[in-house]
Amino acid sequence: MKVVFKPLLSFSVILLSVLLFTAAAEAKGNPQTSVSSSGEEFEVNHNGPSKTQQISPAFEGTGRTKGQLTENSQVSLKSLKPSSIIGTDERIRISPTTSFPYSATVQLTVKYSGSSSTFGCTGFFVNPNTIVTAGHCVYDQDNGWASTITAAPGRNGSSYPYGSYSGTMFYSVKGWTESGDTNYDYGAIKVNGSPGNNTGWYGYRTTNSSSPAGLSSSVTGYPCDKVSGSMWSDSKPIRSAETYKLTYTTDTFGCQSGSPVYHNYSDTGQTAIAIHTNGGSSYNQGTRVTNNVFDNIKYWSNQ
């Protein structure tokens, strides 16, 4: 009787291929795994896309300022990512900046140990000491984690009505830090003190129960094409809703990365539904607050 080993060999090759693929996938890890500048990794318990809508409401804060502190030094900031003016520039300057939600909008000054440049970004408070921003504002593909980040909430030119704060810990996810995948371009900064109690903070929520396309939204931040430290905003409907991104024709410019893309909901107030990341010739876009993004923001807020 002739024994044929070919099928067995084929099965072994297939099995080996499956095992190698699985091992490679496990080594790469979940792109939504939380990572920090201290080296911590944490797998947040995500319950998948079928989870009901998640909501974290806004808080308007006490409004207490620090006596309109001023600073004379003006640092020339560079942009980490491009953002675009779509057609006519319709941004308006926000002044004064001490009313909510502008008080909870933060100018970020970012430095990397591997670069001699100083970069500008924007962020927004989501609790007393946590600022959400773009992933590329805390982790750069060439230079790694930021060495220092200074946060100035509600800055208005040379005026720092709430003072400035140092970042003490930076967070993002593996999809950004290991792969540079723009679908996972989001992160957070923990700061010293609890300035959010005075400035207030934005809400954030998922929009998986209904498409946000057409929803009126605003993008507010600190562009580097305007007077140093000045806050600008534009409002337009959401253009399209993709799995990981929202797109919009709202005017933005470099250094507005990390700005909140937000809507004023009747139940949660000024609430972020995306984090602005970059732009193009036809539209700008931000990382959508999905269930995974929501869960990570919540986890970072609780640290």
Side-chain angles (χ1 to χ4, degrees):
M1 178 178 177
K2 187 176 181 180
V3 180
V4 179
F5 292 97
K6 214 167 187 183
L8 180 59
L9 180 61
S10 298
F11 175 76
S12 299
V13 171
I14 293 171
L15 179 60
L16 179 60
S17 298
V18 171
L19 291 174
L20 289 173
F21 178 81
T22 303
E26 289 177 349
K28 189 174 183 180
N30 181 348
Q32 293 286 9
T33 297
S34 169
V35 291
S36 75
S37 54
S38 68
E40 178 211 49
E41 293 185 10
F42 187 82
E43 189 73 38
V44 177
N45 183 24
H46 306 300
N47 294 327
S50 61
K51 186 187 292 185
T52 57
Q53 186 176 42
Q54 299 191 84
I55 294 173
S56 178
F59 170 64
E60 296 195 4
T62 65
R64 188 176 298 116
T65 66
K66 287 192 170 185
Q68 298 291 326
L69 297 179
T70 59
E71 185 173 294
N72 293 324
S73 61
Q74 300 292 317
V75 178
S76 178
L77 301 178
K78 293 185 177 181
S79 173
L80 284 158
K81 290 278 185 177
S83 290
S84 300
I85 305 301
I86 311 297
T88 303
D89 187 355
E90 297 181 308
R91 292 173 297 169
I92 59 171
R93 182 171 180 176
I94 303 300
S95 185
T97 58
T98 50
S99 60
F100 183 80
Y102 310 119
S103 54
T105 308
V106 185
Q107 185 193 39
L108 301 174
T109 303
V110 184
K111 293 182 179 180
Y112 293 95
S113 57
S115 175
S116 59
S117 298
T118 301
F119 299 96
C121 276
T122 302
F124 56 100
F125 275 106
V126 292
N127 83 346
N129 66 353
T130 308
I131 297 168
V132 169
T133 188
H136 66 260
C137 294
V138 295
Y139 185 93
D140 179 70
Q141 299 302 313
D142 294 326
N143 299 303
W145 290 104
S147 55
T148 62
I149 298 180
T150 303
R155 182 181 173 184
N156 190 9
S158 61
S159 175
Y160 293 69
Y162 301 97
S164 62
Y165 302 83
S166 298
T168 59
M169 184 72 71
F170 313 136
Y171 294 95
S172 189
V173 293
K174 281 189 172 183
W176 175 251
T177 62
E178 293 188 358
S179 303
D181 189 333
T182 58
N183 286 326
Y184 307 101
D185 187 358
Y186 69 104
I189 302 161
K190 302 296 283 193
V191 295
N192 60 314
S194 301
N197 286 331
N198 293 329
T199 67
W201 57 77
Y202 284 83
Y204 56 98
R205 66 194 287 167
T206 59
T207 52
N208 51 302
S209 60
S210 61
S211 173
L215 187 70
S216 173
S217 65
S218 301
V219 181
T220 302
Y222 288 92
C224 51
D225 66 327
K226 298 292 188 179
V227 175
S228 179
S230 60
M231 185 188 298
W232 295 75
S233 184
D234 186 26
S235 300
K236 289 188 177 72
I238 296 296
R239 172 182 173 273
S240 68
E242 302 170 1
T243 303
Y244 298 104
K245 295 284 187 180
L246 297 183
T247 72
Y248 34 88
T249 58
T250 315
D251 292 322
T252 63
F253 202 81
C255 299
Q256 281 190 249
S257 290
S259 295
V261 182
Y262 61 100
H263 176 76
N264 188 7
Y265 287 91
S266 60
D267 57 342
T268 56
Q270 306 285 5
T271 304
I273 55 176
I275 302 119
H276 176 67
T277 55
N278 61 286
S281 59
S282 301
Y283 56 84
N284 293 310
Q285 59 183 335
T287 302
R288 184 175 182 176
V289 179
T290 61
N291 284 324
N292 288 322
V293 173
F294 185 100
D295 290 340
N296 275 320
I297 293 175
K298 183 177 180 181
Y299 170 72
W300 297 331
S301 297
N302 291 333
Q303 299 310 296

